[in-house]
Amino acid sequence: MVVVRAAVLPSVGSPLEITGIELPEPGPGQVRVRLAAAGVCHSDLSLSNGTMRVPVPAVLGHEGAGTVLAVGDGVTHVAPGDGVVLNWAPSCGSCHHCGLGEVWLCADALTGAGRVYAVTEDGTELHPGLNVAAFAEETVVAAHCVLPAPDGVPLTEAALLGCAVLTGYGAVHHSARVRAGESVAVFGVGGVGLAALQAARIAGAGPVVAVDVSPAKEALARAAGATEFVVASDTTAREIRKLTGGQGADVAVECAGRAAAIRTAWDSTRRGGRTTVVGIGGKDQQVTFNALEIFHWGRTLSGCVYGNSSPADDLPVLARRVREGALDLGLLVTDRIGLDGIPAAFDAMLAGKGGRALVVF
């Protein structure tokens, strides 16, 4: 057993506790990783406040990258010293959805989150959040939860590939399937939204409209590829129609996870337009439509899980975009913090401030 510092969620709704935890050596089919960095995602906040369920006590954090320290028996695709990106939703390859090629919907992707992977110094058993427990100096994960880090991408920035970039880029390229010349509106300029804006620019979309509740995010949104910026209000849909020749956007990508934003994204698209919902909202967030408008507008509304991505296939593509200079990972990061800064990062997300906070070890 080795003691490392981690951010522990004692129970749903409780403050995180930065404390020592005891990690075992990796067993068969497991890998021990020293974290280089971990992104603070809105999903971590949703897990901590009960919007999404997680076995507790737990170490949260699912977007990370680091260096392999040791491997257990049977692990051959990585070795000590290798850089890796954590994959919080590994596909099993054998369930119904995997058989259909929809690996992002794998029925068994999160089964590892229920295991006990470490203990606190007083012996309390801990679960690994969304499989990987990245809010810690080190972690022990199943071998299929690590992917070789791509060449030419610093490990601290490669952490963002594990969730924000795969999700935002995938929402544009895999789910919405944006084509060159189409107009795109992105709702929510956080880490995922910034990745979606860059993806829309890479796809050749235009105009690209960013929407956020905070006017302070305009410069950040424009740096990511937005050609227009709209402060969210009751007139947002009308403003987007004006910016798109009176028709509405071809595609809307909703990254906020709020009923009002989903409804507005739908209203902002043209007749026959496409709305992709990326944000994770609570059960209390009800969105309503009437039967006549669904017929009349002919729009498509679709959910999007993990960007409808296959991490093993998409990481090399994203890495190439980074090396080409088309995708700027550093642009997503507005705060670099330590483990102690995670609670403040949660507060900033609730207040709608900043892009991605990155825990750097």
Side-chain angles (χ1 to χ4, degrees), residues 209-305:
V209 185
V211 182
D212 200 273
V213 295
S214 172
K217 291 191 179 181
E218 180 172 359
L220 191 60
R222 290 187 180 277
T227 60
E228 310 289 344
F229 185 84
V230 173
V231 178
S233 71
D234 292 341
T235 63
T236 295
R238 191 182 314 155
E239 292 180 65
I240 291 175
R241 284 194 293 273
K242 288 180 180 178
L243 293 169
T244 53
Q247 297 298 312
D250 293 302
V251 172
V253 180
E254 195 281 335
C255 303
R258 298 190 184 95
I262 295 170
R263 178 69 224 204
T264 303
W266 163 276
D267 290 336
S268 299
T269 58
R270 64 169 175 83
R271 197 174 188 190
R274 315 186 297 279
T275 299
T276 290
V277 179
V278 181
I280 301 173
K283 292 181 179 179
D284 60 330
Q285 296 284 313
Q286 298 293 313
V287 188
T288 60
F289 306 91
N290 66 62
L292 180 60
E293 70 174 315
I294 292 174
F295 160 77
H296 172 76
W297 288 102
R299 294 164 171 155
T300 301
L301 178 70
S302 61
C304 177
V305 177

Side-chain angles (χ1 to χ4, degrees), residues 119-134:
V119 296
T120 63
E121 292 181 282
D122 66 4
T124 301
E125 295 181 334
L126 296 171
H127 301 280
L130 292 180
N131 280 326
V132 297

Side-chain angles (χ1 to χ4, degrees), residues 68 116 148 175 209 221 225 259 300 315 335 344-345:
V68 175
V116 173
S175 180
V209 185
T300 301
L315 276 181
D335 295 282

Side-chain angles (χ1 to χ4, degrees), residues 2 69 204:
V2 176
L69 294 178

Side-chain angles (χ1 to χ4, degrees), residues 194-214:
L194 288 167
L197 287 169
Q198 293 198 61
R201 173 178 47 75
I202 290 169
V208 178
V209 185
V211 182
D212 200 273
V213 295
S214 172

Side-chain angles (χ1 to χ4, degrees), residues 5-7 16-19 337-345 359-361:
R5 293 177 72 243
L16 294 180
E17 297 178 357
I18 312 302
T19 186
I337 61 176
L339 284 172
D340 294 339
I342 296 174
V359 180
V360 179
F361 295 94

